[in-house]
Amino acid sequence: MLSIKNLHASIEGTPILRGINLEIKAGEVHAIMGPNGSGKSTLASVLAGREEYEVTEGEVLFQGKDLLELAPEERAREGVFLAFQYPVEIPGVSSTNFLRTAVNQVREHRGLEPLDAVKFLSLMKEKMKLVEIDQKLLSRALNEGFSGGEKKRNEIFQMAMLEPKLSILDETDSGLDIDALKVVSNGVNQLKSPENATIVVTHYQRLLDYIVPDFVHVLYKGQIVKSGTKDLALELEEKGYDWIKEEVESKATV
Amino acid sequence: MSKDNQILEEFTSKEYEHGWSVNYEADEAPAGLNEDIIRWISVKKEEPQWLLEWRLKAFKTWQSMIEPEWANVHYPKINLQALKYYSAPKQSKKPKSLNELDPELLAIYERLGISLNEQKRLQGIAVDAVLDSVSVATTFKDTLSKLGIVFCSFSEAVKEHPELVKKYLGSVVPMTDNYYAALNSAVFSDGSFCYIPKGVRCPMELSTYFRINAANTGQFERTLIVAEDESYVSYLEGCTAPQRDENQLHAAVVEIYAGAHAEVKYSTVQNWFPGDKNGKGGIYNFVTKRGICAGDYSKISWTQVETGSAVTWKYPSCILKGDNSIGEFYSVAVTNNYQQADTGTKMIHIGKNTKSRIVSKGISAGKSQNSYRGQVQVMKRATNARNFSQCDSLLMGDRCGAHTFPYIDINNPTAKVEHEATTSKIGEDQIFYCNQRGIATEDAVALIVNGYAKEVLNQLPMEFAVEAQKLLALTLEGSVG
C-alpha cells in the first residue's frame, strides 16, 4: 500500500529525514518510535504533505501513485489521514459543518453522491459510538475550548467518518489519561480492517498495549535504525533509547 | 515567502462578477455641479417648489463645507464638476406595471440574479430597483398598500405622499450634517421610501437593489424609512456596479425613524465594484446612514456585509432618544487588493436604560486597509445606559492593515460600557488541517472566514445570508491558494 524509498526531507535547509525506507501492506499496523527530535512527526507531516518540509530525495508510492506529487487535499481524498498531535481550532465552524464539507469533497473525489443532511447525520450517529463522543461537542466550534482528550477523540471520530486507507496517528496518546487512551485505542481497533493500514507514531510503549502493532520501527537521527515486532517496543520501554543510540554511534565509528 | 503569502497571492486573482454594463438609451444631465443643474434635476422630476428650495439650500450649505479628511483612507481628489448628476434610462412613458417595463431593463436585473417578475410571484419579497438615478420598478405594491404600507420610489413618494416626505426628510440626517450628506441633499435623484403605519407588522422583507450603470455618473440615492409606533419592518439593500476604469462616486443618505415600540431591521449587502487587482477603478462609497429610536422601547438594528467599493466611508448609527430603546450594529467588512474601508458606527445614548450592541468583524487581504471607527456616546440624561462592543480583525497575509479607532464619551456615571477586541490571522495550520481532511484551499478559506463572521451573518434574513456567504468567499477567492 505504502512504499517509502530513501526519503530525505529538510526544513529551512536543515535535514531531518535522512533516508527512510519503509514498506507497509494493507491490514498492517506499524509503530514508529524514537527519542525526541528523531524525526517521527516530520515523517508524519511529510506523508500528509505539509509544505514547510522540503523533500530533497527519495520517493513515496501510495497505492501505486506518486504521493509526493499530490497536493495535501488530494492525498486526503486518496485515503491518507493524519490524526494531528495538536489539532487546530477553527472558531465559528462547527465540527459537523466542517466534517460534512470534508466528507462530501472526499466522496466527490471517489465518484460518490454527496450525502444529504439526513444521511450525513445518521452516519455521524453511527460513528459517534466508536469513540463515545457527545453530539453536543460536535455542534460546537471545531476544537475550540476542547480538552486535550476531546480533541484527540474528535480526531479519531473524523478518521471514522472519512474511512481512510492509511491512517497516521501522530502522538495520539500525548495528553491522554488512561481512560481516554482506552476509548481512543478501542476506536482505532474497531476501524482496523484487512483493507486499511495504520502508522502509529509514539514516544511511549503504553499506547501499544492497546493498539497492538505488527511491526515496530525505531527512528533515530532521521533513519530507521532498528525494526522488530511488539517485543522491541517492550525492550525499549525497559531499557530506554540509549542502547540504540550507542549501537548506532558505534556502527558509525567502525 | 511563507506559504501563507503565496496562497494569499493566488487567491486574489478572482475578478468582479457583476462587472458588465448595458448600453441602454439614457436621459442624462450635462456634467457639472451648479444651481442650474439642481433646477434641471428638479424640473426633470416634476418636483414641488419646496423640495427645489430645500435642494438649493443644501447646495449653499455644501458650498461652504470642505471635504472631510479625517478618515483613514487615501484617494485622489474627486473632480465633482466632471460628474453627471442625473442619468435615467429613457422610457417613452412611465410604465404602469412590470409588464410594460422595458425588457432590457428587466434583463439587467435578471443578470444580477434579481428577477423582478420572479420575485413578484415567488419569493414574497417586495423589491424596488434603482438603476443609476431612478427607480425602475417596485413589486408587490398592491399587497402592501392594503395594510397601509407605502413602499415606492422616492420620487413617487414626493408626488403621492408629500406630507410624509416633508415631515421626515432631513429629520435624522440634516442637510448640514456633513459634506457628502449636504451634496446628496442637493442632487439626490431617487431612492426608496417606506412607511409602516402604526401597529402594522410588515409581512415581507422589503428590498431595494441599487445599480450604477452609466459611466461618469454619481449615484446619490436617498432612502427614508418611517416606522410608526408598534410597527415592524425588515429592509434589505443590495448594491452592484459595472467594472470601469475610472472611479465612480456613490454618496447616499439613509434615514430611519422608529416610533415607540417600533422595530426596524436594516440589512445591506454591499458589492460595489472594488477596482481591479491593481487598484484601478472602483466605487467611492461615501454614505451617511442614521436611525433615530425616537420613541420608548424602539429598536433599530443595522447589519452590513461590505465586500465592495474601492473606498468605503460609512458609519450606520443610532440615536437612542426614547427610553429603553435599543441600537444594534453588526458588520462584516472585507477588503482585498487595494481596497480601503473606514467603517463603523455611532451609538448615541440619550434616553434612560438605552442599550447598544456593536459587533464588527473586519477581514483584510491583499494590500488593503481596513479600519473600524466607532463612537459610543452616553449623554447626561442617559441613566443606566449599556453598551457592548466587539471589534475583531482577521488578517490574511502580511501586506494588509487592520486598524481600530474606538471613541467612548461618557457623561453619566451609571453607564456600563464594554469593549472587546481581537486580531487574528488565518493560519497556515488551519488551512493545512482542512486540506488534510480533503477540503480544497478555497473552500477552507471560505469555511474559516464564514465561521469568523458567523455572528453577523446570523443576523441576516435567510436568503441574504446565503448570498452574503458566497460573496465573502468570492471576494477572497484567490487570496489563498
Side-chain angles (χ1 to χ4, degrees), chain A residues 77 80 82 89 105 155 158, chain B residues 430 433 436-438 440 443:
Chain A
R77 291 170 193 169
V80 176
L82 173 65
E89 299 185 359
Q105 293 209 357
E155 291 294 291
Q158 291 182 25
Chain B
Q430 287 175 322
Y433 190 79
Q436 213 302 306
R437 298 303 184 246
D443 297 304

Side-chain angles (χ1 to χ4, degrees), chain A residues 49-52 73 76-77 80-82 84 88-93 98 102 105 143 155 158, chain B residues 3 6 428-430 432-441 443 447-448 450-452 454 481:
Chain A
R50 206 185 257 277
E51 281 181 25
E52 298 98 286
E73 64 270 28
R77 291 170 193 169
V80 176
F81 181 92
L82 173 65
F84 284 64
V88 177
E89 299 185 359
I90 305 184
V93 178
F98 172 78
Q105 293 209 357
N143 290 325
E155 291 294 291
Q158 291 182 25
Chain B
K3 184 190 167 201
Q6 198 183 328
E428 208 174 298
D429 282 357
Q430 287 175 322
F432 179 67
Y433 190 79
C434 294
N435 286 159
Q436 213 302 306
R437 298 303 184 246
I439 301 172
T441 300
D443 297 304
L447 204 66
I448 294 165
N450 280 310
Y452 165 77
K454 196 173 165 192

Side-chain angles (χ1 to χ4, degrees), chain A residues 67-112:
Chain A
L67 192 69
L68 302 176
E69 279 297 303
L70 301 177
E73 64 270 28
E74 291 167 334
R75 300 183 195 194
R77 291 170 193 169
E78 287 288 330
V80 176
F81 181 92
L82 173 65
F84 284 64
Q85 183 177 3
Y86 303 108
V88 177
E89 299 185 359
I90 305 184
V93 178
S94 72
S95 296
T96 308
N97 188 14
F98 172 78
L99 257 180
R100 194 168 163 208
T101 308
V103 166
N104 282 335
Q105 293 209 357
V106 169
R107 285 180 68 90
E108 194 187 334
H109 178 79
R110 294 176 188 168
L112 300 167

Side-chain angles (χ1 to χ4, degrees), chain A residues 80-152:
Chain A
V80 176
F81 181 92
L82 173 65
F84 284 64
Q85 183 177 3
Y86 303 108
V88 177
E89 299 185 359
I90 305 184
V93 178
S94 72
S95 296
T96 308
N97 188 14
F98 172 78
L99 257 180
R100 194 168 163 208
T101 308
V103 166
N104 282 335
Q105 293 209 357
V106 169
R107 285 180 68 90
E108 194 187 334
H109 178 79
R110 294 176 188 168
L112 300 167
E113 288 288 303
L115 292 179
D116 62 32
V118 177
K119 283 190 187 134
F120 178 78
L121 285 175
S122 71
L123 179 69
M124 244 177 60
K125 282 236 161 69
E126 181 195 322
K127 304 287 186 183
M128 269 158 50
K129 287 179 203 144
L130 279 176
V131 280
E132 300 171 29
I133 200 164
D134 192 345
Q135 184 145 21
K136 273 185 211 142
L137 201 66
L138 300 177
S139 55
R140 279 168 48 186
L142 184 63
N143 290 325
E144 204 185 27
F146 284 25
S147 71
E150 285 170 339
K151 282 183 182 171
K152 295 296 171 73

Side-chain angles (χ1 to χ4, degrees), chain A residues 5-250:
Chain A
K5 288 199 181 91
N6 191 31
L7 183 64
H8 288 253
S10 57
I11 186 161
E12 285 164 6
T14 311
I16 310 282
L17 302 183
R18 305 155 186 259
I20 303 262
N21 292 291
L22 188 61
E23 292 288 329
I24 295 177
K25 295 190 181 68
E28 294 176 349
V29 177
H30 289 245
I32 310 274
M33 300 185 72
N36 289 333
S38 58
K40 304 190 296 289
S41 284
T42 299
L43 177 60
S45 294
V46 168
L47 292 177
R50 206 185 257 277
E51 281 181 25
E52 298 98 286
Y53 296 98
E54 194 196 341
V55 174
T56 50
E57 219 185 312
E59 66 165 20
V60 179
L61 292 178
F62 175 64
Q63 296 189 308
K65 284 189 184 162
D66 182 353
L67 192 69
L68 302 176
E69 279 297 303
L70 301 177
E73 64 270 28
E74 291 167 334
R75 300 183 195 194
R77 291 170 193 169
E78 287 288 330
V80 176
F81 181 92
L82 173 65
F84 284 64
Q85 183 177 3
Y86 303 108
V88 177
E89 299 185 359
I90 305 184
V93 178
S94 72
S95 296
T96 308
N97 188 14
F98 172 78
L99 257 180
R100 194 168 163 208
T101 308
V103 166
N104 282 335
Q105 293 209 357
V106 169
R107 285 180 68 90
E108 194 187 334
H109 178 79
R110 294 176 188 168
L112 300 167
E113 288 288 303
L115 292 179
D116 62 32
V118 177
K119 283 190 187 134
F120 178 78
L121 285 175
S122 71
L123 179 69
M124 244 177 60
K125 282 236 161 69
E126 181 195 322
K127 304 287 186 183
M128 269 158 50
K129 287 179 203 144
L130 279 176
V131 280
E132 300 171 29
I133 200 164
D134 192 345
Q135 184 145 21
K136 273 185 211 142
L137 201 66
L138 300 177
S139 55
R140 279 168 48 186
L142 184 63
N143 290 325
E144 204 185 27
F146 284 25
S147 71
E150 285 170 339
K151 282 183 182 171
K152 295 296 171 73
R153 244 180 241 210
N154 194 17
E155 291 294 291
I156 305 305
F157 170 67
Q158 291 182 25
M159 175 176 147
M161 289 295 289
L162 292 166
E163 299 174 344
K165 297 271 187 334
L166 174 68
S167 303
I168 306 162
L169 311 183
D170 188 8
E171 309 256 2
T172 295
D173 51 335
S174 70
L176 289 188
D177 62 31
I178 193 73
D179 294 325
L181 187 71
K182 278 183 190 162
V183 171
V184 164
S185 309
N186 190 26
V188 173
N189 288 332
Q190 287 187 61
L191 291 171
K192 229 162 69 174
S193 82
E195 281 82 46
N196 61 29
T198 312
I199 298 176
V200 183
V201 174
T202 181
H203 191 72
Y204 300 105
Q205 191 271 336
R206 188 178 70 156
L207 177 66
L208 305 180
D209 285 340
Y210 301 99
I211 304 173
V212 181
D214 299 301
F215 301 95
V216 175
H217 311 278
V218 179
L219 204 58
Y220 180 60
K221 289 193 172 170
Q223 286 183 322
I224 290 176
V225 292
K226 208 169 186 69
S227 295
T229 60
K230 192 185 176 321
D231 297 335
L232 177 58
L234 291 169
E235 198 177 345
L236 286 167
E237 175 80 354
E238 199 182 312
K239 301 204 268 186
Y241 287 108
D242 285 349
W243 63 279
I244 292 204
K245 289 182 193 172
E246 277 160 27
E247 226 178 79
V248 173
E249 306 300 338
S250 67

Side-chain angles (χ1 to χ4, degrees), chain B residues 149-152 192-196 206 223-227 233 235:
Chain B
I149 295 171
V150 182
F151 178 48
C152 63
S192 293
F193 176 78
C194 163
Y195 176 82
I196 317 290
L206 300 184
T223 303
L224 178 55
I225 299 171
V226 177
V233 65
Y235 187 94

